[in-house]
Amino acid sequence: MVRALTAAAALLGVGASLFAAKVPRKSPELVIAAHDGGQLRLSELRGKVVVVEVLLTTCPHCQHSAEMLNRMQTRYGARGFQAIGVGFNESDKSQIENFVRTFGVKYPVGYVPRETIYKYLQADPATGIHVPNLVFIDRRGVIRHQSLPQGDSE
């Protein structure tokens, strides 16, 4: 599974980058408002390998990333892999259900306010973040890799 995650990171353009976020670090709690009305806490997934995709529902790269994560979820879910999608724009809040339906997403996708996701990523709101932004979390809840948080893609 580690090889698959490494290959996925490379395919998604998540090579090693220099940025301010401290990695590795313990993943802070993140409460995601699920599109079905429930909530998901990252801490509930401890014991699994988790990839959090921070996305914009209208971003073609995020849509492609979701398709890849869907395949990984299907293939590795029974072995302890869990993908999570997180939209952070106000418009994403109303578009998540359509995103899940359109792309046949088989893993949880929800919404987190912009300020919360910037804090989680240790990103500077003044510079923006690239999307999709992927965060790889090990079974102990430690962030092992995160894509470059700053940019002009949002």
Side-chain angles (χ1 to χ4, degrees):
M1 185 176 349
V2 173
R3 278 188 181 160
L5 289 176
T6 303
L11 288 172
L12 294 170
V14 187
S17 304
L18 297 174
F19 57 89
K22 181 183 174 211
V23 175
R25 72 180 183 277
K26 184 178 186 293
S27 176
E29 182 64 274
L30 186 63
V31 180
I32 301 159
H35 77 279
D36 63 5
Q39 283 189 341
L40 174 66
R41 296 177 177 276
L42 277 185
S43 61
E44 295 169 352
L45 301 173
R46 196 106 341 112
K48 294 184 177 211
V49 173
V50 178
V51 175
V52 177
E53 176 193 18
V54 179
L55 60 90
L56 298 175
T57 57
T58 57
C59 164
H61 301 292
C62 298
Q63 295 162 356
H64 178 69
S65 179
E67 291 169 346
M68 289 181 60
L69 288 172
N70 228 9
R71 289 191 298 270
M72 290 178 68
Q73 185 64 51
T74 299
R75 185 168 183 182
Y76 299 109
R79 294 171 53 189
F81 172 80
Q82 183 61 62
I84 304 289
V86 180
F88 64 98
N89 270 352
E90 268 303 309
S91 62
D92 289 330
K93 205 189 281 189
S94 63
Q95 295 298 316
I96 288 174
E97 189 170 338
N98 185 50
F99 177 82
V100 168
R101 186 175 48 255
T102 301
F103 297 99
V105 179
K106 296 174 176 58
Y107 54 85
V109 180
Y111 172 80
V112 172
R114 177 181 294 274
E115 314 77 50
T116 303
I117 208 63
Y118 274 86
K119 185 176 178 183
Y120 181 80
L121 295 173
Q122 295 183 345
D124 180 359
T127 59
I129 60 172
H130 284 285
V131 291
N133 194 296
L134 301 175
V135 179
F136 293 79
I137 306 169
D138 71 14
R139 293 178 190 275
R140 294 187 323 255
V142 175
I143 295 174
R144 293 296 173 179
H145 185 79
Q146 150 180 345
S147 43
L148 182 68
Q150 298 176 348
D152 56 4
S153 296
E154 68 163 298

